[in-house]
Amino acid sequence: MDPGGAGAGVVDVLAAEGVAADLGRRRFRGGGSTVRFAATKIGGGLTSLVMVVVLGFFLFRAMPGNPVRALTRDRPGDLAQVERLKREWSLEDSLPAQFVDYVADLLHGDLGTSFKYRQPVTELIMGRLPATLLLTGTALVLAVALGLWLGTRAAWRHGSRFDQLATATALVLWSVPTFWLGLIVLMVFAVGLDLFPTAHLTSPGGVSGFVPSVLDVAHHLVLPALTLVAVVYAQYLMVMRSSLLEEMNADYLTTARAKGLRDDDVRRKHAVPNALLPTVTIIFLHVGFLVSGAVTVEKVFSWPGLGLLTYEAIQVPDYPLLQGSLIVLAGAVIVTNVLADILYRFIDPRVRAA
Amino acid sequence: MKRSATLARVRLAGRRQAGGGAGRTARVWWAVAAAAALVVGPGLVPVTALANAPAQAQGSLAQGGLAQGGLAQGGVTMRVSHTQEIDTLNPFTAVFLISTQVGRLMYEYLTVNSAESSSPEPGLAESWTTSADNLTWTFKIRDAKWSDGMPITAKDAAFTYNLIMTNEDAASANGVAVANYQSVTATDDRTLVIKTKAPQASMLSSEVPIVPEHVWSKVTDVKGFQNTETLPAVSSGPFVLTGYQEGQSTTLTANDNFWRGRPKVDTLQFVKYENSDAAVQGLRKGDVDVVAGLTPAQFGAIKDESGITTNEGRNRRFAEITMNPSNPKADGTTFGNGNPVLKDLAVRKALDHAIDVKTIVERVKQGFATPATQLIPPVYPDWHFTPAAGQQRGYDPAKANAMLDAAGYPKGGDGIRLDKAGKPINLRLLGTSDNSQQQQQSEFLKEWFAAIGIGLTPEFKSSNQSNDDQNAGNFDLAFTGWSVGPDPDSMLAQQTCKVVGTELSDSNFCNAEYDRLYAEQLAELDREQRKQVVQKMQSLLYDNVSALILTYDNALEAYRSDRFTGFVRQPADGGVITGQNGYWGYYSATPVTVAAEADDGGSGNNAVLIGGIVAGAAALAAIAVVGITRRRRAGADERE
């Protein structure tokens, strides 16, 4: 494969913008500071993570709610029990004292014990992570693939009936309330056509055997993934479409055509690589959010994801679980952002130059 | 030529693609093709499993989930949906209603609540006696076996109680039950002696799950123990826990050793639905057999569906509006900022007269409720209170106006009455924003209170914020409601002076005579005598308008009557199937036809799966052909 394909495309863009000469000069100094650049980005990421830890702690405690009341309701209780719970959860200690305890535990890698589940937060989160990533990951891959493909086609033949139909469909699905769409999908495909189960990651209790359980999970995955793809793919389509449209009249495409390249090759080897950059940015942004799950879809299809776990923790509020989830969710976003920053340096010469 | 051949193959795959050839982006096209296959054919199930990298990872995931759930499930499985989370299945720490429901099925108590009226009847204890001073209880333990075949003895019960009494972690859920216990000993295998510090009338409704000593003596960390570590979990009730998937399902298997006899359902599964609409769809489809907690709209929608029977069950919940009468807390500090007019009994009575509960029942609750009198619902006939003829208050705005006039609250210019300081009386009404019934009621209440010259400002907040405000006393009126247990003690205790302004208080009511009666009923071991005292207490609450008690709300449930029947309700007369103070509903469930139904859902799914596999394989093959052709073409392009 020729890396020159992408490289040539990028240079085409730069030439069009008239900054190639400038870049040429600066490119030589760029490489030397890569380590320092990475260190700065990673340092920035770590600073953000520390701020998330601090902010999360105080934010959740400033939030209304009383865990003791929430977890003793409708049960025989006495004042001794209320006192015991407050002591167990250190709710009567001063905020700074609680914070010091929390940070000390955190430094030992201990996210604490959930008030509600009485289980280590780490276990709860790790238990939900695979199901979360399976759903959001599958949906992201499908949505990106579908969005990029349709977006490219729509832009290349913009104004055509295909363009109009694809764009309109995507926008309608994008605008539809997820919960409503999910329930409709559930009623049509799960109940009406009786093709898929109505809920969960597996059949209740699971099935035995490797292949049957893979099929079982796949069977359960279809509707939630389909719903999630339907709701989100429009953003990839629209970004891909508009950035490709910007390239459509570029001189380098004329040059490429003049060289005698077929239309498909012009699109694939010259236009698309240049138009891909904004889309890659969005994809990276969304990869960070994969961990946070998709609360609404999880709620419709009773998918045991992290989004729901966090959402239900708010209602207590279950401070350790909320803090733990926030660190994991924010951590994922921060890590992918740092990675994206560093990767850009390799993908896009303009970043090296800046 | 080549190009059109490719096109034909793409058409084979079910998607029309313009253009041909592929180069560096071949991988993207592969993914697109997979996605297209998914979108095109909802029957192409396995495509997700075979065509996507993330889906590949699910093999190990499913295996992990199976680790605890893979037990053979022969026979008839009944599935019950629930929307509340299971906090834990450890009987010493589980507090959520659904968790204690599952707990009831696993662990017997010494005494259980009858299906008939929730009065105590023998459980693991066959019989019991009390000493003359009412301080010593002697229970004779039944000759029965744990699910693993070991004998159940008094030592197991003594072990359980002593664990709760000596280990703070084990006291999380049931500490209250033993708070008044002096000692618990097993004098022999069949005799359990409980000595209390003071007489305790609620003894027989204490609902403490008795656990097997030979299992639990090995548990070192009771707080962190989830009871799913070793399955099946040895227990004594009608069912044994055999599988658990956090956030998804709980599998229970019939206990062959249950002393009343094996249940008729072989496997009972509780499946968690995150929203009740999906659960109703699950019931229609047959994914679940029993659904509870329906809204009136859902109840109406499936009422006439064939194969489904709905049940409007008399339940143990009451709905009310509490007031903040500004009683001081136990430590003497003031409680919140309630409007001082609510200290005046005349005002509280007038508010009660102003509310047309019948309209609330008909228009807001859509008939699925009955007007309430006091705390204890009529499903507990022993404790329920009915006011005497002359005592009864009713909807009577004229009387309310007269009372307020007489009490010295003249109407101001805008029709709103003025308090003693000359300020217009405007009450805040706290509710939770996600509760539409409360919002509807508040519209009615605004009108009704305006008719007696009292302004009302509804404040709808998040349930957390509403909890905070109620806890801090920052409200005048607040919507609330409670689920009442089989013994009235707990609900009555929530109205005493010492809990004012704490998490436990219901009405923030404080009355010395009431507190005296509360102590009296707790020490009165004669049930008939105790009934009298409890009646007196509720009469006192009623006359003092401790709260605006509105309705007893019925529970709306539905089940697949084409698969299961014979559910015993609690109370037997028009009661509920789920959410009982007992295991009667699940224990009595009887399969309609044992043989035919066993694997109905399964075979249907298999047909779909097999069809899906074939279609999916065909689609994949087509995609592969396309992909290979494109790669070749790409190679050719470059060679050009």
Side-chain angles (χ1 to χ4, degrees):
Chain A
M1 287 309 302
D2 63 332
V10 170
V11 173
D12 285 343
V13 175
L14 296 177
E17 290 171 10
V19 291
D22 182 41
L23 246 182
R25 246 187 300 116
R26 298 177 71 170
R27 192 182 280 171
F28 295 103
R29 317 184 269 129
S33 61
T34 300
V35 176
R36 199 199 301 160
F37 172 82
T40 318
K41 289 294 173 191
I42 291 170
L46 284 177
T47 316
S48 311
L49 203 58
V50 169
M51 283 174 68
V52 165
V53 169
V54 177
L55 207 76
F57 179 88
F58 291 100
L59 193 78
F60 289 130
R61 274 166 181 75
M63 204 173 78
N66 182 334
V68 175
R69 204 182 165 98
L71 294 177
T72 54
R73 223 190 134 75
D74 284 341
R75 278 191 61 77
D78 62 5
L79 292 173
Q81 186 203 19
V82 169
E83 287 310 312
R84 193 168 52 233
L85 286 176
K86 283 182 177 168
R87 205 165 52 240
E88 185 187 329
W89 296 335
S90 313
L91 293 177
E92 304 281 71
D93 298 358
S94 70
L95 269 190
Q98 287 184 49
F99 181 67
V100 170
D101 280 352
Y102 166 61
V103 172
D105 283 349
L106 200 61
L107 291 177
H108 291 98
D110 179 4
L111 288 176
T113 304
S114 155
F115 291 173
K116 185 166 76 173
Y117 296 97
R118 292 169 187 273
Q119 262 185 74
V121 167
T122 325
E123 272 178 30
L124 282 167
I125 293 179
M126 292 314 287
R128 294 279 184 121
L129 207 52
T132 313
L133 290 180
L134 175 65
L135 174 60
T136 52
T138 308
L140 182 77
V141 169
L142 295 183
V144 166
L146 187 66
L148 296 200
W149 182 66
L150 290 176
T152 309
R153 304 282 151 163
W156 204 249
R157 290 191 274 145
H158 61 103
S160 69
R161 268 176 58 198
F162 175 84
D163 179 25
Q164 286 169 0
L165 193 72
T167 314
T169 313
L171 286 180
V172 166
L173 289 172
W174 169 260
S175 327
V176 158
T178 313
F179 197 83
W180 180 84
L181 179 70
L183 276 178
I184 297 292
V185 165
L186 187 129
M187 284 175 73
V188 171
F189 292 108
V191 182
L193 298 176
D194 200 12
L195 288 173
F196 298 99
T198 47
H200 308 128
L201 169 66
T202 67
S203 299
V207 290
S208 38
F210 178 77
V211 173
S213 54
V214 169
L215 292 180
D216 186 46
V217 171
H219 194 200
H220 284 76
L221 178 65
V222 174
L223 291 189
L226 190 75
T227 309
L228 199 51
V229 169
V231 175
V232 300
Y233 84 94
Q235 51 191 329
Y236 305 108
L237 185 152
M238 293 314 284
V239 170
M240 190 64 211
R241 183 178 175 275
S242 63
S243 46
L244 190 57
L245 275 181
E246 275 178 36
E247 306 294 328
M248 288 296 281
N249 297 320
D251 292 341
Y252 69 90
L253 292 185
T254 314
T255 315
R257 288 195 180 94
K259 285 195 292 185
L261 286 182
R262 284 183 310 140
D263 197 43
D264 284 336
D265 290 332
V266 173
R267 187 189 70 229
R268 223 175 43 247
K269 291 188 176 171
H270 292 266
V272 171
N274 282 312
L276 216 48
L277 215 56
T279 325
V280 170
T281 310
I282 312 194
I283 295 171
F284 265 112
L285 281 177
H286 286 108
V287 166
F289 284 101
L290 281 184
V291 174
S292 62
V295 180
T296 324
V297 174
E298 287 170 16
K299 191 144 182 93
V300 174
F301 295 99
S302 307
W303 190 264
L306 263 181
L308 271 180
L309 188 73
T310 312
Y311 171 76
E312 282 163 358
I314 292 174
Q315 293 160 342
V316 174
D318 191 337
Y319 299 133
L321 186 50
L322 285 172
Q323 288 158 0
S325 315
L326 183 72
I327 290 176
V328 172
L329 305 189
V333 175
I334 291 169
V335 167
T336 47
N337 277 1
V338 169
L339 281 180
D341 277 345
I342 295 172
L343 267 178
Y344 274 178
R345 214 174 151 77
F346 296 98
I347 298 173
D348 185 352
R350 284 172 299 184
V351 177
R352 272 202 297 275
Chain B
M1 272 311 287
K2 232 178 182 181
R3 188 185 164 96
S4 59
T6 310
L7 258 176
R9 290 196 189 99
V10 173
R11 281 204 192 96
L12 259 183
R15 292 298 289 190
R16 192 170 189 283
Q17 269 181 255
R24 288 169 291 100
T25 42
R27 283 171 162 276
V28 176
W29 301 129
W30 275 72
V32 169
L38 178 75
V39 175
V40 165
L44 304 188
V45 178
V47 172
T48 42
L50 303 171
N52 294 298
Q56 295 283 350
Q58 78 208 4
S60 56
L61 178 78
Q63 289 298 87
L66 272 178
Q68 295 177 339
L71 268 123
Q73 292 154 25
V76 179
T77 300
M78 184 169 91
R79 296 197 174 118
V80 181
S81 78
H82 62 96
T83 48
Q84 192 184 32
E85 309 93 274
I86 287 182
D87 46 356
T88 167
L89 291 169
N90 176 345
F92 293 100
T93 50
V95 294
F96 280 17
L97 187 67
I98 180 62
S99 319
T100 55
Q101 287 286 310
V102 175
R104 277 174 204 284
L105 298 167
M106 293 164 62
Y107 298 101
E108 266 285 28
Y109 311 143
L110 287 183
T111 51
V112 296
N113 311 298
S114 71
E116 200 57 40
S117 64
S118 295
S119 57
E121 65 171 52
L124 280 188
E126 270 177 346
S127 60
W128 51 89
T129 54
T130 50
S131 64
D133 62 0
N134 286 342
L135 290 177
T136 305
W137 295 70
T138 308
F139 292 91
K140 185 164 184 301
I141 304 297
R142 187 179 302 282
D143 188 5
K145 284 194 169 77
W146 293 106
S147 55
D148 63 353
M150 298 281 278
I152 300 176
T153 69
K155 291 194 180 96
D156 291 308
F159 167 80
T160 304
Y161 283 106
N162 280 303
L163 187 64
I164 301 175
M165 286 159 70
T166 54
N167 183 337
E168 202 169 70
D169 294 333
S172 304
N174 301 305
V176 184
V178 302
N180 182 37
Y181 288 10
Q182 184 77 50
S183 69
V184 181
T185 44
T187 53
D188 60 55
D189 273 2
R190 300 264 75 86
T191 315
L192 182 77
V193 178
I194 299 181
K195 288 196 160 72
T196 60
K197 295 172 197 162
Q200 184 173 333
S202 58
M203 178 65 110
L204 296 175
S205 302
S206 62
E207 304 201 317
V208 174
I210 306 295
V211 301
E213 183 176 10
H214 64 278
V215 174
W216 284 80
S217 58
K218 294 181 193 108
V219 175
T220 45
D221 171 26
V222 175
K223 186 180 154 191
F225 191 67
Q226 298 299 318
N227 207 10
T228 51
E229 287 85 346
T230 314
L231 294 175
V234 179
S235 61
S236 55
F239 291 94
V240 181
L241 179 68
T242 51
Y244 181 62
Q245 299 173 292
E246 194 269 317
Q248 294 192 81
S249 74
T250 309
T251 305
L252 301 157
T253 306
N255 179 6
D256 293 328
N257 291 335
F258 183 47
W259 67 271
R260 287 181 202 268
R262 188 181 193 275
K264 294 167 199 111
V265 167
D266 302 294
T267 305
L268 178 62
Q269 277 178 332
F270 288 86
V271 290
K272 174 141 178 10
Y273 273 81
E274 297 293 346
N275 72 93
S276 58
D277 287 320
V280 169
Q281 297 305 328
L283 180 77
R284 291 182 55 209
K285 183 178 178 219
D287 280 358
V288 289
D289 303 302
V290 183
V291 174
L294 299 174
T295 64
Q298 292 165 343
F299 191 79
I302 55 173
K303 212 167 154 193
D304 301 320
E305 199 140 327
S306 75
I308 293 177
T309 299
T310 49
N311 179 43
E312 181 191 354
R314 294 160 62 213
N315 199 16
R316 51 194 175 108
R317 264 196 97 75
F318 71 90
E320 63 173 348
I321 296 172
T322 56
M323 296 175 275
N324 180 1
S326 303
N327 286 320
K329 293 203 220 182
D331 61 6
T333 54
T334 47
F335 175 54
N337 57 13
N339 193 315
V341 294
L342 292 171
K343 289 181 195 167
D344 190 339
L345 177 60
V347 174
R348 300 205 298 270
K349 273 192 175 156
L351 292 179
D352 199 40
H353 275 300
I355 299 174
D356 180 7
V357 177
K358 263 197 191 123
T359 300
I360 292 181
V361 168
E362 282 161 20
R363 302 280 300 278
V364 180
K365 312 265 178 177
Q366 302 187 29
F368 299 117
T370 47
T373 56
Q374 256 305 313
L375 307 172
I376 316 292
V379 295
Y380 303 116
D382 286 353
W383 315 113
H384 176 62
F385 168 76
T386 311
Q391 192 181 13
Q392 179 100 38
R393 284 188 301 270
Y395 175 55
D396 192 347
K399 190 169 180 186
N401 270 313
M403 284 171 118
L404 291 172
D405 288 338
Y409 299 100
K411 279 194 177 165
D414 52 358
I416 298 290
R417 292 177 187 277
L418 306 174
D419 64 14
K420 307 283 171 166
K423 264 178 51 190
I425 303 178
N426 215 318
L427 300 176
R428 297 163 293 168
L429 171 63
L430 185 62
T432 47
S433 44
D434 55 1
N435 190 320
S436 61
Q437 288 198 342
Q438 291 182 357
Q439 302 191 16
Q440 291 169 38
Q441 285 177 68
S442 73
E443 292 303 313
F444 283 111
L445 287 163
K446 253 199 257 182
E447 255 176 62
W448 293 332
F449 285 1
I452 62 165
I454 286 178
L456 186 71
T457 317
E459 294 176 344
F460 287 97
K461 302 181 176 178
S462 74
S463 61
N464 280 344
Q465 183 65 55
S466 160
N467 263 348
D468 270 5
D469 285 351
Q470 287 192 49
N471 221 39
N474 296 331
F475 68 98
D476 299 323
L477 307 173
F479 282 110
T480 185
W482 295 84
S483 192
V484 182
D487 193 276
D489 179 66
S490 176
M491 201 66 236
L492 296 173
Q494 290 185 266
Q495 327 297 326
T496 54
C497 292
K498 71 173 182 179
V499 298
V500 170
T502 70
E503 283 82 357
L504 297 176
S505 189
D506 164 33
S507 57
N508 296 298
F509 180 74
C510 180
N511 178 304
E513 171 65 5
Y514 178 87
D515 282 13
R516 193 189 64 71
L517 287 168
Y518 172 74
E520 191 183 323
Q521 65 81 29
L522 188 57
E524 182 53 72
L525 264 56
D526 182 285
R527 199 168 170 96
E528 286 307 315
Q529 293 287 326
R530 190 176 174 217
K531 273 188 203 171
Q532 301 305 317
V533 184
V534 171
Q535 287 291 317
K536 239 190 255 179
M537 293 171 76
Q538 291 186 81
S539 175
L540 190 150
L541 292 176
Y542 188 84
D543 288 342
N544 281 282
V545 198
S546 63
L548 307 169
I549 298 184
L550 303 173
T551 54
Y552 300 124
D553 296 345
N554 292 341
L556 303 181
E557 313 165 311
Y559 60 94
R560 296 291 321 189
S561 45
D562 53 354
R563 298 198 65 208
F564 296 98
T565 180
F567 295 98
V568 168
R569 282 135 168 94
Q570 186 188 47
D573 164 28
V576 291
I577 294 169
T578 67
Q580 296 182 349
N581 293 309
Y583 40 62
W584 311 111
Y586 303 120
Y587 177 58
S588 60
T590 312
V592 171
T593 46
V594 177
E597 297 291 335
D599 206 16
D600 185 30
S603 61
N605 288 349
N606 283 345
V608 172
L609 272 181
I610 292 164
I613 291 166
V614 173
L620 272 181
I623 290 163
V625 169
V626 172
I628 291 164
T629 318
R630 292 191 145 200
R631 270 212 181 133
R632 270 200 205 128
R633 275 189 62 90
D637 284 351
E638 265 146 36
R639 281 195 295 275
E640 282 163 19

